[in-house]
Amino acid sequence: MKEHLTEADLEELVDGEAVSTRWVERLLHLRHCDTCQQRAEELFPRRGLRILKKLFPSLAAASRDPDGPDGQVWVDLECIPDAILRRVMELNLKLAREEEKAVGLWRRFRDQKPERWSLLVRNHPGFGTLGMMNLLLREARRFWRRDPRRAEQLTRLALEVHGCLRKADYDARCLDESEALSWGYLANALRVQDRFREAEEALVIGERKLTDRDAILELAWLRRIRGALLRDMRRFDSALSAVREARKLFGRVGAWEDEASMVVNEGFILRQTGDVEESASLLER
């Protein structure tokens, strides 16, 4: 990238919520361009050369932003080696290609019986990718409420795909996070079907799989699902604790819509416990 970064480019960098190939290219440019670094520091004097640590959770060097919501964790740009940035770019390019192929492949086979899906996972090379697994999880999430049985089938298929992946082709942390989230999604599909015991068992597995405590977003989702499960089981005190933890975690990574959803959930649980006044106070903030 020879041209200097625009103000919009720099704003996207410091507010980045996900790593993309284009995002990494801009970050590499910023690393080695004195002009763009000076411009970033002028525009964002507190944040110009820092990014959210969640985008590179394996890095040890980090600082907390006292002005950020719930103390968001940042890492100095100079602490991120170029080799890591290029590796991230390579992995994202690979995943983007896999997901592009997965979309076309899934369109061909999505209307077949679930028994056929399992055969395809074991025998069709296009199904054995992380891109396909991510696609199946997105599909499962769409069906949580309108067809939880299908959501369950899709999530179980995603777990089958995980079992067939060539582990050497992917980052181990990324695989662990995807597997943990899959178990959480399965738990939620089971919860909506009132299969609470099975949901609890699936959720425990997901929580055990998530060994990296820097996987904040995935942990937030597991806490969110646990809160919903405990609420449906009418264990309201425990549900409130889980929902409040999820709310803080979503806030730490800037997932504002999910954080707001947790506020609504907290208010709903408070209302169920009979604490109407506190519920109303919370929702009016």
Side-chain angles (χ1 to χ4, degrees), residues 63-102:
S63 60
R64 290 188 179 275
D65 183 357
D67 296 329
D70 292 307
Q72 291 199 66
V73 184
W74 302 81
V75 61
D76 291 333
L77 181 58
E78 64 184 15
C79 296
I80 309 176
D82 283 2
I84 289 181
L85 290 176
R86 293 194 176 96
R87 176 59 177 162
V88 168
M89 186 159 52
E90 291 171 3
L91 291 173
N92 276 273
L93 279 171
K94 174 182 174 62
L95 193 56
R97 294 191 190 104
E98 288 181 357
E99 292 192 6
E100 183 178 358
K101 292 179 181 178

Side-chain angles (χ1 to χ4, degrees), residues 28-45:
L28 281 167
H29 176 92
L30 183 60
R31 273 289 301 276
H32 300 286
C33 179
D34 292 339
T35 300
C36 288
Q37 286 185 20
Q38 182 177 353
R39 180 62 172 154
E41 290 175 330
E42 291 172 355
L43 289 169
F44 312 102

Side-chain angles (χ1 to χ4, degrees), residues 84-203:
I84 289 181
L85 290 176
R86 293 194 176 96
R87 176 59 177 162
V88 168
M89 186 159 52
E90 291 171 3
L91 291 173
N92 276 273
L93 279 171
K94 174 182 174 62
L95 193 56
R97 294 191 190 104
E98 288 181 357
E99 292 192 6
E100 183 178 358
K101 292 179 181 178
V103 169
L105 191 60
W106 183 241
R107 284 174 181 165
R108 287 173 53 196
F109 296 107
R110 64 186 174 189
D111 293 328
Q112 297 193 19
K113 294 181 179 181
E115 295 79 8
R116 172 68 173 164
W117 296 346
S118 295
L119 288 173
L120 288 166
V121 168
R122 292 193 293 269
N123 297 292
H124 196 301
F127 271 79
T129 68
L130 186 57
M132 176 60 78
M133 183 179 180
N134 289 342
L135 172 64
L136 292 171
L137 291 177
R138 287 198 301 272
E139 285 288 293
R141 188 173 168 182
R142 287 199 310 116
F143 284 99
W144 270 346
R145 291 205 171 276
R146 59 175 170 164
D147 190 348
R149 175 58 180 156
R150 185 173 179 84
E152 177 191 350
Q153 293 169 336
L154 289 165
T155 310
R156 291 190 187 279
L157 185 63
L159 286 166
E160 286 190 51
V161 171
H162 181 273
C164 295
L165 294 176
R166 284 172 46 88
K167 303 303 188 287
D169 291 346
Y170 303 100
D171 177 72
R173 189 188 68 253
C174 184
L175 290 177
D176 290 343
E177 291 170 1
S178 295
E179 185 183 14
L181 200 58
S182 297
W183 283 105
Y185 278 24
L186 176 60
N188 204 53
L190 294 167
R191 174 191 68 83
V192 179
Q193 299 176 69
D194 294 332
R195 294 158 61 186
F196 298 148
R197 184 183 60 79
E198 294 172 80
E200 171 71 17
E201 291 172 353
L203 192 52

Side-chain angles (χ1 to χ4, degrees), residues 57 73 93 115 158 186 190 199 208 212-213 220 233 267 282 285:
V73 184
L93 279 171
E115 295 79 8
L186 176 60
L190 294 167
R208 287 175 179 168
D212 185 353
R213 308 315 290 180
M233 297 171 70
L282 177 69
R285 291 175 192 170

